[in-house]
Amino acid sequence: MEPTSPEDSPAPGSHTSRRRFALFSIPAGAAIGGILVAMAGGALAATFSISSQEFKISADEMTGTGFAQFGWVNATVRGEPSPSAVAGIREAEIVGLCQSVLTSEFPLIGNVSLMLTAGDDGTPVQASDLIIDMDQMDGNAEFDDIEIGRDASTLDKGPEGLGRGQGHPSLFGMQSDSIVIEDLEQTARAASAGTFRLHNLSLGVSLGDDECF
């Protein structure tokens, strides 16, 4: 696939390209307040308690079918709310995956970095029902048959369970038949998958700052 450029314009009814894909699905102001009230009342519940640390994900290219995204609020083990944009892909392939976590909670030894890489030898990482709770994402993105502004509770193209009644009613959602992202850089809080196959996996821990980007 040829990289898209800032001047690329969307073809009517087919796809949308952007040089920088901004995650505008995170609700703001009163909308976040409404989600927090719903979460406190048990109407919304995170699938697991997240840590207070973010991690970084980068990839040369990610392709997927069945994409959905909407705003969400997770909770840490301390009960602190953490708003994010939840993105789900039914089937995904990732070329040149990198994942890193930087920890600065060790005052006597300084920062500690954990880095994982995979799919950089010609065999892409494969994932099904991939769900990522993110704070930020950059890259060159292309969507096919995209729907922007759909009610988050009615999304039906993503992984089973994501969007099918899980998104908060009346809030912003978006979905597409497929998605391609080149030069992906993403900051996330949580990720899960039905299956996750990592070819040529390498994981290492080191002192200092060693992150994907």
Side-chain angles (χ1 to χ4, degrees):
M1 191 193 80
E2 292 295 325
T4 57
S5 65
E7 292 77 22
D8 286 343
S9 59
S14 61
H15 67 266
T16 299
S17 298
R18 291 288 184 269
R19 170 61 184 164
R20 189 176 179 89
F21 175 45
L23 294 177
F24 48 84
S25 69
I26 301 177
I32 283 185
I35 290 183
L36 293 178
V37 171
M39 186 178 70
L44 296 178
T47 55
F48 56 86
S49 296
I50 64 171
S51 73
S52 58
Q53 286 186 283
E54 63 183 21
F55 57 95
K56 293 183 177 180
I57 301 170
S58 67
D60 296 333
E61 182 180 78
M62 180 177 70
T63 61
T65 57
F67 169 78
Q69 181 178 295
F70 56 88
W72 191 254
V73 176
N74 286 311
T76 68
V77 292
R78 298 181 181 88
E80 301 163 338
S82 176
S84 63
V86 177
I89 301 175
R90 281 192 286 108
E91 299 290 339
E93 289 193 347
I94 307 169
V95 177
L97 173 66
C98 176
Q99 178 180 309
S100 63
V101 182
L102 178 65
T103 301
S104 56
E105 301 296 327
F106 305 103
L108 296 180
I109 61 175
N111 292 341
V112 175
S113 299
L114 182 149
M115 178 176 288
L116 175 153
T117 61
D120 56 0
D121 62 344
T123 302
V125 172
Q126 295 179 323
S128 65
D129 295 329
L130 176 64
I131 300 174
I132 300 176
D133 295 20
M134 69 187 85
D135 296 337
Q136 167 272 337
M137 182 170 75
D138 294 331
N140 300 318
E142 181 175 316
F143 305 86
D144 286 327
D145 295 323
I146 190 169
E147 298 173 353
I148 301 174
R150 181 162 172 161
D151 190 292
S153 66
T154 69
L155 301 176
D156 57 6
K157 292 186 177 182
E160 288 293 332
L162 182 65
R164 294 172 172 83
Q166 184 175 354
H168 199 274
S170 302
L171 291 186
F172 181 96
M174 61 185 290
Q175 63 178 6
S176 64
D177 286 344
S178 64
I179 181 173
V180 178
I181 305 177
E182 296 177 332
D183 301 323
L184 170 68
E185 292 184 352
Q186 188 175 69
T187 303
R189 295 285 180 174
S192 63
T195 60
F196 205 40
R197 298 182 179 91
L198 297 95
H199 195 265
N200 199 35
L201 170 67
S202 176
L203 187 151
V205 179
S206 61
L207 293 175
D209 301 353
D210 189 13
E211 297 186 274
C212 297
F213 60 90

